[in-house]
Amino acid sequence: EAQVTQNPRYLITVTGKKLTVTCSQNMNHEYMSWYRQDPGLGLRQIYYSMNVEVTDKGDVPEGYKVSRKEKRNFPLILESPSPNQTSLYFCASSDRDRGGIDTQYFGPGTRLTVL
Amino acid sequence: GQSLEQPSEVTAVEGAIVQINCTYQTSGFYGLSWYQQHDGGAPTFLSYNGLDGLEETGRFSSFLSRSDSYGYLLLQELQMKDSASYFCAVRDQSGGYQKVTFGTGTKLQVIP
């Protein structure tokens, strides 16, 4: 089954404790992206990647890191989480050539709480 | 920068037609997408307009006018399961047309 998976689905952590949210897709998509969703603000892009070893900042990259060492994986790293990073996070992927970047497939989401 | 405007909430009756508008201000423009998100779920892709005009997919249609920086999503024969949030999204010149910006979403409530 074609899908985007994220882990963990729920996470409660404390300020300053490094964490990684994993994202994996099995559709051989080139484009992958991370979003955060907060009430009233919609989805805001954190980072995106056009292919392996190619990443770039979205609209809200501060406090986040990403890596793209393999085509299927695109982990989101919070090296020193703070309470303002409490949010719902979505990973998404799309086939740059078939359907284009605009047809994104989203993972189930990760609800993160930073105390 | 870029900005998108959508109504925050819309209520419509089951079986009716509803239109959700999206206006955008961007530096350059590539295309307009629409996504649906049910409460507690992930966004799912609905439709994309790269050129002016109407795109139809079953009960859903999407329209784009590049000259007016405006688009809309049209939902026909509304069903209770259409109650969800709907987001428009654009790619524009910033980030070399690779960065995606979403609107804040329109919460559609379908009532009997």
Side-chain angles (χ1 to χ4, degrees), chain A residues 35-76:
Chain A
Y35 297 89
R36 61 177 290 173
Q37 185 172 31
D38 303 289
L41 296 179
L43 291 145
R44 293 181 292 167
Q45 194 173 40
I46 302 170
Y47 270 95
Y48 60 91
S49 169
M50 286 296 289
N51 216 324
V52 175
E53 303 291 1
V54 181
T55 63
D56 211 341
K57 297 176 181 178
D59 287 323
V60 289
E62 295 78 20
Y64 304 94
K65 286 176 59 176
V66 293
S67 70
R68 189 91 182 271
K69 292 184 170 54
E70 305 165 285
K71 197 172 186 179
R72 64 183 292 128
N73 296 323
F74 190 45
L76 179 70

Side-chain angles (χ1 to χ4, degrees), chain B residues 1-110:
Chain B
Q2 58 274 43
S3 68
L4 295 93
E5 288 192 18
Q6 307 178 232
S8 58
E9 294 180 354
V10 172
T11 300
V13 177
E14 188 177 16
I17 299 172
V18 71
Q19 179 174 311
I20 298 173
N21 299 322
C22 175
T23 58
Y24 58 87
Q25 289 184 314
T26 60
S27 53
F29 176 79
Y30 193 84
L32 184 70
S33 301
W34 289 93
Y35 289 81
Q36 178 192 59
Q37 185 181 29
H38 287 100
D39 283 348
T44 56
F45 173 79
L46 288 177
S47 187
Y48 170 72
N49 294 76
L51 301 173
D52 285 359
L54 194 68
E55 292 285 337
E56 297 180 77
T57 309
R59 294 186 296 113
F60 294 1
S61 303
S62 59
F63 173 82
L64 175 66
S65 169
R66 296 168 74 107
S67 60
D68 295 323
S69 298
Y70 163 75
Y72 65 71
L73 180 68
L74 192 73
L75 293 79
Q76 303 182 72
E77 300 172 16
L78 278 173
Q79 302 176 8
M80 299 300 291
K81 68 177 181 180
D82 296 330
S83 292
S85 292
Y86 293 84
F87 296 88
C88 57
V90 299
R91 279 195 288 143
D92 68 359
Q93 200 169 14
S94 65
Y97 293 104
Q98 299 168 9
K99 189 154 68 75
V100 180
T101 299
F102 279 79
T104 53
T106 298
K107 190 172 181 68
L108 170 65
Q109 183 182 15
V110 180

